[in-house]
Amino acid sequence: MTVTILPPHADRFRLHPVASRLAPMFCFALLTVSCALASFALACATPFAAFAVVAAAMLPMRPALLVVTGAWLVNQTIGFSVLHYPIDGSTIAWGFVIGAAALLSTAAASTVLRWLPQGRTPLMLAIALVAAYAAYELALLAATPFLGGEGAFTAAIVTRIGLTSAVWLAGLVAACEIVRLVDPFGLKGAMSA
């Protein structure tokens, strides 16, 4: 007799690297570490759309929003404490706009993944990334009349950041698949017991 530890609704999620009870903590750890690396490597170009897709593919919307909020907090903490972002009204406002955009991006990815057919296909994650990235960039663009920064929305910059997000998404999905295959938490043994 096969016993599964995944709840029936878990089948709608595209990524299953760990047992569903461990998924929020695993996702939080994966995204905060990834965000820390991206913050040092990319500073202001952290791939929040990729993080949003991974969270949405692994978790229900509310926990996904909480995990992405945690990643955003890591990004802001590193930016202001280590990378010495200027502490002024505009920079702080942009930080909050980026956080709101990351949450909107997560909601968009979660909604798209809920509408798409079931399965862990790369195409489904790619479609979710396009929706998440569009939501993210549109939210940022909407703030430019108030905060400035229109020059950051050239086709070259938006394309480069979009491609960076795609590469990060591929890397995060690969990391999830490696964890699933290595099975450090004994998921396979628990499922076949």
Side-chain angles (χ1 to χ4, degrees):
M1 179 171 130
T2 303
V3 176
T4 181
I5 60 173
L6 295 174
H9 70 277
D11 291 334
R12 77 173 188 86
F13 299 113
R14 288 0 190 231
L15 296 175
H16 297 287
V18 297
S20 61
R21 64 184 167 75
L22 301 174
M25 288 308 295
F26 174 79
C27 189
F28 178 74
L30 176 68
L31 293 188
T32 55
V33 167
S34 298
C35 190
L37 293 172
S39 296
F40 285 116
L42 305 172
C44 293
T46 302
F48 282 111
F51 298 165
V53 172
V54 168
M58 200 178 303
L59 303 169
M61 190 178 310
R62 185 174 177 166
L65 290 169
L66 290 172
V67 165
V68 170
T69 299
W72 170 78
L73 285 170
V74 167
N75 171 262
Q76 294 301 296
T77 300
I78 290 170
F80 284 103
S81 66
V82 178
L83 299 178
H84 306 292
Y85 290 175
I87 299 176
D88 59 37
S90 177
T91 306
I92 292 169
W94 268 115
F96 282 110
V97 169
I98 289 168
L103 295 176
L104 184 61
S105 180
T106 305
S110 184
T111 301
V112 166
L113 287 173
R114 190 171 46 246
W115 287 344
L116 291 173
Q118 301 304 311
R120 293 186 320 167
T121 65
L123 177 60
M124 303 306 169
L125 296 174
I127 292 169
L129 179 63
V130 169
Y133 188 62
Y136 184 77
E137 287 294 317
L138 287 172
L140 295 180
L141 184 61
T144 60
F146 309 102
L147 298 174
E150 298 86 1
F153 290 91
T154 66
I157 292 171
V158 171
T159 300
R160 180 179 52 83
I161 294 171
L163 292 174
T164 300
S165 291
V167 169
W168 273 88
L169 178 60
L172 291 167
V173 170
C176 288
E177 288 302 304
I178 290 168
V179 168
R180 185 182 62 79
L181 292 172
V182 171
D183 192 28
F185 304 107
L187 177 63
K188 291 176 192 168
M191 290 180 66
S192 63

